[in-house]
Amino acid sequence: MSESTPAALPTVVIGAGPIGLAAAAHLIERGIEPLVLEAGRFAGSAVRDWSHVRLFSTWAEVVDPAAEKLLAPTGWVKPDGATYPTGGDWAEQYLQPLADNLGETVRFGATVTGVSRAGRDRVVDADREQQPFTVHVQYADGREERLFARAVIDASGTWSTPSPLGGDGLPALGEKAATDRISYRVPDLKDPAVRARYAGKRTAVIGSGASAFTALAYLAELAKDESGTHATWILRRGISGATFGGGDADQLPARGALGLAAKAAVDNGYADAVTGFRTTAIERTDNDRVALVAEDGRRLDEVDEVIALTGFRPDLTFLNELRLGLDERLQAPTELAPLIDPNVHSCGTVYPHGVNELSHPEKDVYLVGMKSYGRAPTFLAMTGYEQVRSITAALAGDQDAAERVELTLPETGVCGGAGLFDEPEAEQGGGCCAAPTTLQIGTSAPSASGGC
């Protein structure tokens, strides 16, 4: 591809996950050429990494409308909208067919290593907005290429950059040296090799969100079959009435059941809870186990394995030459950050948003999906679909549509993350079921309809 008038160039979308592929579908609907660059070998590569975990959201809530229109002529049949897919279901039954339908629009094994303006680093002002974007790509075979784009939509997510287990946001002393004993993912205990890793072992689970609940529940089930299996649940804060979620009162039954399962793991003796523990070091012991040390000097009993589920953070390194406006705490777009700040908001109080909240000083570059939330954890797929709908409308010059969001909102909010339940009774309700709400982006938020 050679440099030409920016308007004649494609819009580069980074990432062929749910939001990136939805962006491509919306761009096509608007008559704008997309080019999707995916580092993995398949669509939804990150989703496939947690293919064993079930979403809280139903099929009706995780299929983008523009993508569904694109798939309809191919004979694709949408799964039952009332059921809950696993990550594997989502990838195989929706994301891969969508990518296949997009054909050469999607390039796999294509890692974006840098984005800038043609002939302009981040310091240069002269004619900056008149220059196309340059996107540097490295392919799986080692080949490098420089592409040009009219706009860039970064939907690469945060999966590749999990937060360390250190309580201060930095790797704990010894963490890097102990990587063979640390996992930053919810284990798939149906995999024989993974099951063997934790069976009959003592495992520390660090984290307080849905992923930690899931890991605790999995390990508790394993402990029923494999003697000697035990978990130590490490929380940086104390345990309160809200620690395990809404339980039976939760209007999202799958989420409530997950919290209750984690609580049962502790109540039934399959896990011990340690509170107020902010890890500062992880040490190898003489018997080839590891011990965790807190900043207050406490040292926990030795464990065989550690599962660190302390959240994710965005990789911004390949965007260094762009002028991004990011909140200094969350690393989310400046206008979006106050709406999603977990210190203030639950997912039930985050209202729809679009191009106005997602814009940066650098025109026509957008962070969308989970990446737009920076370090905030409460993200919905349907929120991402609205983001790219609004952005693509703006790129097409339809400002009225860009500033209007029509979104089916959950009555109680659905925290980002997933559930673990395959039982039918855990799949009977919940999800995003409120009536459509029409809002002007950037105006006052609607009243919250429930907590997370």
Side-chain angles (χ1 to χ4, degrees):
M1 184 185 302
S2 60
E3 183 177 356
S4 60
T5 305
L9 295 170
T11 291
V12 164
V13 179
I14 306 173
I19 311 307
L21 293 175
H26 282 277
L27 288 166
I28 290 172
E29 191 172 59
R30 286 285 182 175
I32 300 172
E33 179 188 358
L35 176 60
V36 183
L37 302 174
E38 166 59 44
R41 296 167 50 223
F42 304 101
S45 293
V47 174
R48 292 171 190 270
D49 279 351
W50 48 270
S51 61
H52 58 293
V53 181
R54 190 170 299 281
L55 281 71
F56 287 141
S57 300
T58 63
W59 270 114
E61 300 150 6
V62 297
V63 173
D64 175 75
E68 186 173 357
K69 289 179 186 177
L70 200 62
L71 283 167
T74 70
W76 177 77
V77 178
K78 183 179 180 179
D80 182 354
T83 60
Y84 294 78
T86 63
D89 296 335
W90 202 15
E92 291 294 339
Q93 298 178 40
Y94 168 60
L95 299 179
Q96 194 62 52
L98 178 55
D100 292 344
N101 181 258
L102 290 167
E104 294 184 357
T105 294
V106 183
R107 296 186 188 179
F108 295 104
T111 300
V112 174
T113 59
V115 182
S116 187
R117 290 279 188 177
R120 310 290 190 275
D121 63 21
R122 67 184 296 162
V123 176
V124 179
D125 292 332
D127 299 322
R128 186 175 187 86
E129 290 190 359
Q130 285 69 53
Q131 307 306 313
F133 290 97
T134 58
V135 181
H136 286 214
V137 184
Q138 182 167 9
Y139 295 96
D141 60 6
R143 180 172 53 93
E144 292 183 292
E145 187 175 13
R146 182 186 185 215
L147 305 175
F148 294 93
R150 62 170 288 189
V152 175
I153 298 174
D154 182 0
S156 60
T158 58
W159 183 252
S160 63
T161 49
S163 296
L165 60 85
D168 53 8
L170 299 173
L173 298 179
E175 182 171 350
K176 294 179 181 178
T179 53
D180 60 319
R181 294 304 178 87
I182 304 172
S183 171
Y184 299 89
R185 308 285 188 251
V186 175
D188 179 4
L189 297 181
K190 293 181 180 179
D191 181 318
V194 176
R195 185 180 180 89
R197 177 174 179 175
Y198 297 100
K201 306 288 182 60
R202 296 184 64 86
T203 301
V205 177
I206 305 175
S208 58
S211 294
F213 288 174
T214 305
L216 287 168
Y218 278 175
L219 291 171
E221 286 300 310
L222 180 62
K224 295 176 184 178
D225 299 327
E226 300 284 351
S227 63
T229 304
H230 191 80
T232 298
W233 184 25
I234 299 173
L235 299 99
R236 293 171 179 170
R237 300 177 182 175
I239 292 180
S240 68
T243 297
F244 298 101
D248 291 331
D250 199 315
Q251 295 185 47
L252 301 175
R255 185 181 65 200
L258 177 58
L260 290 175
K263 186 175 187 299
V266 176
D267 291 345
N268 294 333
Y270 298 119
D272 299 318
V274 178
T275 62
F277 193 98
R278 297 180 180 273
T279 308
T280 189
I282 179 169
E283 300 176 350
R284 294 271 188 178
T285 62
D286 292 339
N287 56 356
D288 200 28
R289 303 175 89 189
V290 294
L292 299 175
V293 181
E295 62 183 9
D296 61 8
R298 279 185 292 166
R299 180 186 174 92
L300 294 185
D301 290 340
E302 298 170 1
V303 296
D304 300 288
E305 301 287 343
V306 177
I307 300 175
L309 301 169
T310 54
F312 297 87
R313 55 187 59 178
D315 177 8
L316 301 167
T317 55
F318 61 88
L319 303 176
N320 277 344
E321 292 306 317
L322 297 177
R323 298 174 177 180
L324 301 181
L326 298 174
D327 178 75
E328 67 276 7
R329 294 171 300 160
L330 296 183
Q331 295 178 296
T334 305
E335 295 300 317
L336 176 61
L339 312 182
I340 61 174
D341 185 351
N343 293 299
V344 179
H345 293 281
S346 71
C347 52
T349 61
V350 175
Y351 69 95
H353 54 273
V355 68
N356 289 345
E357 291 84 355
L358 296 168
S359 294
H360 294 273
E362 191 80 67
K363 187 175 183 294
D364 291 339
V365 61
Y366 301 98
L367 277 57
V368 299
M370 193 67 227
K371 190 159 187 178
S372 71
Y373 271 42
R375 299 193 183 196
T378 54
F379 177 74
L380 279 171
M382 60 173 58
T383 300
Y385 296 156
E386 270 303 319
Q387 289 178 342
V388 295
R389 188 208 61 81
S390 173
I391 287 167
T392 54
L395 290 174
D398 187 350
Q399 200 61 27
D400 287 342
E403 295 191 358
R404 183 182 67 250
V405 172
E406 296 181 359
L407 176 63
T408 302
L409 295 167
E411 288 187 20
T412 60
V414 183
C415 292
L420 64 117
F421 297 97
D422 293 318
E423 294 82 357
E425 62 268 21
E427 298 180 1
Q428 292 174 350
C432 305
C433 52
T437 302
T438 302
L439 300 170
Q440 291 299 122
I441 297 176
T443 60
S444 57
S447 299
S449 58
C452 190

